[in-house]
Amino acid sequence: MPEGHTIHRAALDHARALVGQRVTVSSPQGRFDCTALARKGGVLLEHVEAHGKHLFYVFERGLTVHVHLGLFGRFTVHADALPAPSSSTRMRLKGKAVAIDLVGPTACELVTPEKKAALLGRIGPDPLQQPKAPKAFLDHLAAQKTPIGAVLLDQSVISGVGNVYRAEVLHLLKLHPMTPASSLTRKTGTELWRLVAQLLQRGVTEKRIVTTQGTKIRARTEPVSREGAVHVYGRNACLTCGAPVERLVLNARTAYLCGVCQPLLG
Ligand SMILES: [Zn+2]
């Protein structure tokens, strides 16, 4: 599943490509009812926003399209010749020089201001918008015995973290995923938030997840686990110490950890 950095990067790229232009919005697949956006000559795109893993395209008169990629959604940007859309293209945004196709999202819908507010109300603070740990996050940790590995994937508590960042952030802080959130000190909670913010921002810049220092990434097509971009996620051996990486299921997703670097304390 795309993590927060992918969504924020898409918001930046799509804004650069299309904001301020009259955009033709269509649904070649037909599963997105965009008739409210039909205008001769296109509808003005005013801005693109990312909140956690949610994207909002805000058009003239407040008309807003909400997109959540889910597990299988993806965008394709066409800057040159525009191919015919495939039968699975849910939405096509066509501007002056660039067109963007969306396939396979969990959500692609027009939302009212009330629906947008309700969606945002369910999403927790986003470290990419708020680099300093919010008090509500630290208070939540202090009050929860839930494993920290579960808390990190709870989008209502902290938004944008997925399975790769979860594994890597906990490894970098030497925390076992089963550590009760309430046992973390406020200092560790603050550091955890700061690290998530820093790594997500690096992901936005580099357009991929890299959590190691001094790593020369050779090819973007190589699986991350083979090239030393991560310490434990998807790996057999811990990049830090070489011990076998352990796996456990937490929130129905596999959590990766090194039992040597991240012992369960207490
Ligand atoms: Zn290790």
Side-chain angles (χ1 to χ4, degrees), residues 196-217:
V196 170
Q198 192 188 318
L199 291 176
L200 279 168
Q201 189 53 58
R202 189 176 175 191
V204 172
T205 306
E206 301 190 11
K207 299 192 192 184
R208 58 169 303 162
I209 299 176
V210 183
T211 65
T212 50
Q213 293 299 326
T215 308
K216 198 104 183 101
I217 302 304

Side-chain angles (χ1 to χ4, degrees), residues 1-10 52-54 69-70 128 152-153 155 159-169 196 200 203-204 209 233 253:
M1 181 182 288
E3 303 199 22
H5 70 297
T6 309
I7 304 308
H8 280 261
R9 182 69 204 201
K53 297 181 182 177
H54 298 258
L69 292 180
L128 279 168
L152 280 178
L153 288 193
Q155 301 296 307
S159 58
V161 178
N163 214 16
V164 187
Y165 283 120
R166 165 172 81 171
E168 292 298 301
V169 165
V196 170
L200 279 168
V204 172
I209 299 176
Y233 177 81
R253 310 281 305 276

Side-chain angles (χ1 to χ4, degrees), residues 16-17 29 43 139 159 172 174 200 205 253:
R16 271 186 208 131
Q29 181 194 39
V43 56
D139 290 347
S159 58
L172 287 165
K174 301 185 168 58
L200 279 168
T205 306
R253 310 281 305 276

Side-chain angles (χ1 to χ4, degrees), residues 24-30 32 34 85 89-94:
T24 305
V25 184
S26 61
S27 180
Q29 181 194 39
F32 163 45
C34 51
T89 306
R90 183 77 56 89
M91 175 172 75
R92 171 170 277 190
L93 301 172
K94 188 174 173 302

Side-chain angles (χ1 to χ4, degrees), residues 146-155 163 166 177-178 248-255:
T146 316
I148 187 60
V151 172
L152 280 178
L153 288 193
D154 183 344
Q155 301 296 307
N163 214 16
R166 165 172 81 171
M178 293 306 288
L248 57 90
V249 176
L250 198 49
N251 296 58
R253 310 281 305 276
T254 303

Side-chain angles (χ1 to χ4, degrees), residues 3-263:
E3 303 199 22
H5 70 297
T6 309
I7 304 308
H8 280 261
R9 182 69 204 201
L12 282 175
D13 290 346
H14 297 182
R16 271 186 208 131
L18 298 175
V19 160
Q21 297 176 30
R22 298 211 164 270
V23 174
T24 305
V25 184
S26 61
S27 180
Q29 181 194 39
R31 282 182 57 193
F32 163 45
D33 180 3
C34 51
T35 42
L37 293 163
R39 299 272 187 293
K40 203 167 181 227
V43 56
L44 180 66
L45 179 63
E46 295 186 338
H47 55 272
V48 185
E49 300 166 14
H51 300 275
K53 297 181 182 177
H54 298 258
L55 268 171
F56 296 91
Y57 297 83
V58 182
F59 295 88
E60 58 186 274
R61 301 204 353 254
L63 290 162
T64 302
V65 174
H66 164 237
V67 170
H68 191 290
L69 292 180
L71 275 175
F72 305 109
R74 65 184 164 79
F75 290 107
T76 312
V77 178
H78 306 285
D80 302 317
L82 185 58
S86 81
S87 59
S88 59
T89 306
R90 183 77 56 89
M91 175 172 75
R92 171 170 277 190
L93 301 172
K94 188 174 173 302
K96 275 191 297 214
V98 168
I100 295 165
D101 284 346
L102 169 64
V103 299
T106 297
C108 176
E109 54 184 354
L110 270 160
V111 287
T112 60
E114 293 75 25
K115 172 97 188 270
K116 183 184 178 191
L119 275 166
L120 291 179
R122 289 205 296 271
I123 306 172
D126 181 339
L128 279 168
Q129 295 170 336
Q130 207 169 332
K132 196 163 162 279
K135 182 174 176 299
F137 174 73
L138 298 174
D139 290 347
H140 182 90
L141 294 186
Q144 297 290 325
K145 289 203 176 76
T146 316
I148 187 60
V151 172
L152 280 178
L153 288 193
D154 183 344
Q155 301 296 307
S156 70
V157 177
I158 174 171
S159 58
V161 178
N163 214 16
V164 187
Y165 283 120
R166 165 172 81 171
E168 292 298 301
V169 165
L170 293 178
H171 180 79
L172 287 165
L173 293 176
K174 301 185 168 58
L175 290 171
H176 191 287
M178 293 306 288
T179 308
S182 54
S183 72
L184 303 186
T185 63
R186 222 153 165 96
K187 186 163 172 272
T188 303
T190 305
E191 173 67 7
L192 173 66
W193 183 279
R194 196 192 58 79
L195 187 59
V196 170
Q198 192 188 318
L199 291 176
L200 279 168
Q201 189 53 58
R202 189 176 175 191
V204 172
T205 306
E206 301 190 11
K207 299 192 192 184
R208 58 169 303 162
I209 299 176
V210 183
T211 65
T212 50
Q213 293 299 326
T215 308
K216 198 104 183 101
I217 302 304
R218 291 186 298 275
R220 304 181 76 84
T221 49
E222 284 182 49
V224 282
S225 54
R226 290 216 197 119
E227 58 184 19
V230 291
H231 300 86
V232 287
Y233 177 81
R235 292 180 58 91
N236 291 320
C238 168
L239 189 71
T240 307
C241 76
V245 166
E246 297 170 23
R247 288 160 166 77
L248 57 90
V249 176
L250 198 49
N251 296 58
R253 310 281 305 276
T254 303
Y256 300 84
L257 71 134
C258 170
V260 175
C261 296
Q262 301 161 258

